Amino acid sequence: MVLQGLFLYFALMILGTGILGITQKNPVKSLLWILLTFVHLGGLYLLLNAEFLAVVQIIVYAGAILVMFLFVIFLLDLKEEEKGEVFLKSWQLRVWAILLLVFFLVIGGLNYKIFYQGPYTIEFIEKEGHSKALGLVLFSDYVYPLILLGFILLVPLIGIGIMLFGRKTNGSS
Amino acid sequence: MDRTLDFYQFGFLVLKTVFIFAITLVHVAFTTYAERKIIGRAQARFGPKEVGPHGILQPLADFLKIFGKEDIIPQSAYQPVFKIAPIIVFAFTAVNLTVIPFEQGFILADLNVGVLFILASASLAVYGIILAGWSSNSRYSFLGGLRSAAQVLSYEIALTLSLASVVLMAGSLKLSDIVVAQHNSFFGFYAIPQIIGFVVFVIAAFAETNRTPFDLPEAETELVAGYLTEYSAFRYALFFLGEYTAMYIMASLAALCYLGGWTVPKYVMAILPFLKWIPGWVWFLLKVYLFIFLYIWVRATFPRYRFDQLLSLGWKVLIPLGFVNLFITILFKKLFA
Amino acid sequence: MVPLSWYLIVSFCLFGIGLVGFLIRRNLIMLLLSIEIMLNAVNLSLVALGHYLQDIRPQVMALFIIGCAAGAVAVGLILLVITYRNKATLKVDEFNLLRED
């Protein structure tokens, strides 16, 4: 009962703040609504017994990626950008097309049948903790993707270095 | 599975929450008094002496004064976010109190990911600072907010690295497990084997809470008052409540992760057996007070860092030291345990 | 007990919202933000499936997606800043140098 009430609150807030987030004119206000979406998504992960992922979602998405967005928006100083239309010319047709797509997806989602049960039961995750359960799989089966992830995250660092310090040739002002 | 509490358990939880928050707020109020007294003595003068014996009712006088002030909101400020920014800072700092164990078994929520929870709420509290600066719609506030946010975010990485070494040594993310692991370790507390990490943590804690020598955002001679410029009366007080609460959270974290929490090392207990009559929370409070005294002492002693010196200290000194500490801990764990 | 289909429906609706945001906004920053919403919707679907299929590997994949999304957003923002420096506008319907009329 409490579980369903919490799920309903989180789900409605996610969809509501999502819709509010994509319709605002000012990008900063949009970003604040999307921040609420991400925080409620973290709450939904808590309901799914994934506490490590919930906290990582808050730290990485809400606390790092959106702050990066915010700094770029402030850096670009978009005062003149806010004049003019918010949406593109043919936005009505696109919205109807995507609603059709979501309709078919929802029908597919309602007919989904669970077809197997794996070894990591809910009791196992509750006993060992979600971090330890993730770590057991991450560092034994998926070590190479983890190291590759480190390299993937190194690339933006090099990109930022080039963007800030690499303009010796005929770059613009 | 249904993990709801029945009425009595819920009532007891509410009572514990109110108790912890009340004790923390009383501590915060008297820390303002203690700070003025200690800094006064360090500068060869008395602190407050008028209100009550030795000036001990000074926090009450400050409180009454703050309530009497006029609440000014600039006309071109974006009102909803302007009003909510100090609440964000205070709320996300105060919520850390729920995961701190004051004594064996006395904790509001013994999360499996306690250490990460504190880091997550620190990440969210940065938003209060940025939004306070942005919504004030004034150049000084905006730049001050961005500066302060950049400072907090840079030192958060050093904080995370030092805490990662502690978590590695203790083998768990739960704060109560970290204290128990310290009690069972060789030295009794992690400040000695993790000395580099302890130094990194202390410096990063000073920068995270915007305290001297890293208090450029709120110094009077710089950018007026940074992101706080347009705030008056109670909203200003809310920011400072948030700052002092963050000081207590960092002090509690240092006491738990590096100084042994509510335990005394076993060899000290063997030499002085009468110490076991003192309850654990007294030791915890003593360690927290020691750290708060360090905060105030440093404020009275050191000059302020310039902003580029501040950022270069965070990125070029503390993060490499944090990594060195992590590597040493990994080698230690691999070779000896 | 919350059935799995409810989580999947929320995930699909959030993906639709992100897709709508991507296709109708003019501002380039909003496009990047909509990509983040779509990635999060996929994450929610993966974590829910990992919980109900009692397998932890979808949740490991969700962790990787969070990490890769951080890198992708960083690179996207770098390109956005360079674009803004060169063209002084962020409206996507003004990027029409390759048009022939």
Side-chain angles (χ1 to χ4, degrees), chain C residues 63-83:
Chain C
L63 194 63
F64 275 115
I65 290 180
I66 291 181
C68 289
V73 160
V75 174
L77 286 173
I78 291 171
L79 292 175
L80 191 144
V81 169
I82 294 179
T83 308

Side-chain angles (χ1 to χ4, degrees), chain B residues 267-336:
Chain B
Y267 47 88
V268 174
M269 198 76 98
I271 302 176
L272 307 164
F274 63 88
L275 286 179
K276 76 173 189 296
W277 296 112
I278 303 180
W281 53 270
V282 172
W283 292 113
F284 179 77
L285 277 180
L286 280 176
K287 291 167 188 172
V288 168
Y289 291 157
L290 181 71
F291 216 73
I292 299 281
F293 180 71
L294 184 70
Y295 262 108
I296 301 176
W297 190 11
V298 166
R299 181 176 181 175
T301 318
F302 287 108
R304 200 168 280 138
Y305 270 94
R306 212 174 56 223
F307 192 63
D308 56 324
Q309 290 171 335
L310 199 153
L311 285 183
S312 92
L313 181 72
W315 287 97
K316 295 184 195 167
V317 175
L318 287 186
I319 293 184
L321 276 181
F323 273 118
V324 162
N325 187 36
L326 192 59
F327 285 145
I328 294 179
T329 312
I330 293 174
L331 277 176
F332 197 74
K333 268 259 165 179
K334 192 73 182 161
L335 294 175
F336 298 123

Side-chain angles (χ1 to χ4, degrees), chain A residues 49-165:
Chain A
N49 238 329
E51 71 258 12
F52 184 75
L53 262 177
V55 188
V56 163
Q57 161 99 2
I58 303 273
I59 295 179
V60 173
Y61 260 112
I65 293 182
L66 286 186
V67 172
M68 205 164 41
F69 262 108
L70 207 54
F71 269 84
V72 166
I73 294 177
F74 289 153
L75 182 71
L76 297 182
D77 193 24
L78 307 165
K79 276 295 152 51
E80 306 82 31
E81 291 290 311
E82 294 183 21
K83 304 190 177 71
E85 282 294 313
V86 181
F87 300 143
L88 286 171
K89 289 248 183 55
S90 53
W91 64 276
Q92 311 233 12
L93 174 67
R94 298 177 185 205
V95 171
W96 282 114
I98 293 170
L99 275 177
L100 194 66
L101 170 73
V102 172
F103 173 69
F104 282 119
L105 281 175
V106 165
I107 293 183
L110 282 171
N111 291 332
Y112 187 80
K113 301 281 184 290
I114 296 180
F115 58 97
Y116 86 103
Q117 297 279 331
Y120 292 93
T121 59
I122 300 176
E123 289 78 24
F124 174 76
I125 294 184
E126 282 187 11
K127 184 167 75 79
E128 297 281 343
H130 190 244
S131 347
K132 183 161 182 179
L134 271 182
L136 281 172
V137 177
L138 198 63
F139 288 100
S140 57
D141 290 337
Y142 299 102
V143 178
Y144 295 129
L146 196 62
I147 298 178
L148 279 178
L149 186 64
F151 279 109
I152 289 179
L153 289 173
L154 184 64
V155 170
L157 259 163
I158 301 177
I160 291 177
I162 293 179
M163 176 178 81
L164 291 177
F165 302 115

Side-chain angles (χ1 to χ4, degrees), chain A residues 2 26 28-29 31-32 35 39 51-52 55 58-59 62-63 66-67 70-71 74 122 126 129 131, chain B residues 1 3-4 78 81 112-113 116-117 119-120 123-124 126-127 130-131 134 142 146 149-150 153 173:
Chain A
V2 177
N26 193 351
V28 178
K29 295 181 194 169
L31 196 138
L32 294 179
L35 171 68
V39 171
E51 71 258 12
F52 184 75
V55 188
I58 303 273
I59 295 179
L66 286 186
V67 172
L70 207 54
F71 269 84
F74 289 153
I122 300 176
E126 282 187 11
S131 347
Chain B
M1 77 259 48
R3 252 185 266 124
T4 51
Y78 181 50
V81 177
N112 271 338
V113 284
L116 287 185
F117 182 82
L119 290 171
S123 303
L124 284 175
V126 173
Y127 272 104
I130 302 180
L131 293 177
W134 171 71
F142 191 53
L146 287 183
L153 289 174
L173 285 167

Side-chain angles (χ1 to χ4, degrees), chain B residues 114-147:
Chain B
V115 171
L116 287 185
F117 182 82
I118 297 184
L119 290 171
S121 62
S123 303
L124 284 175
V126 173
Y127 272 104
I129 301 175
I130 302 180
L131 293 177
W134 171 71
S135 64
S136 303
N137 210 1
S138 129
R139 252 172 264 271
Y140 295 129
S141 310
F142 191 53
L143 285 177
L146 287 183
R147 266 192 184 181

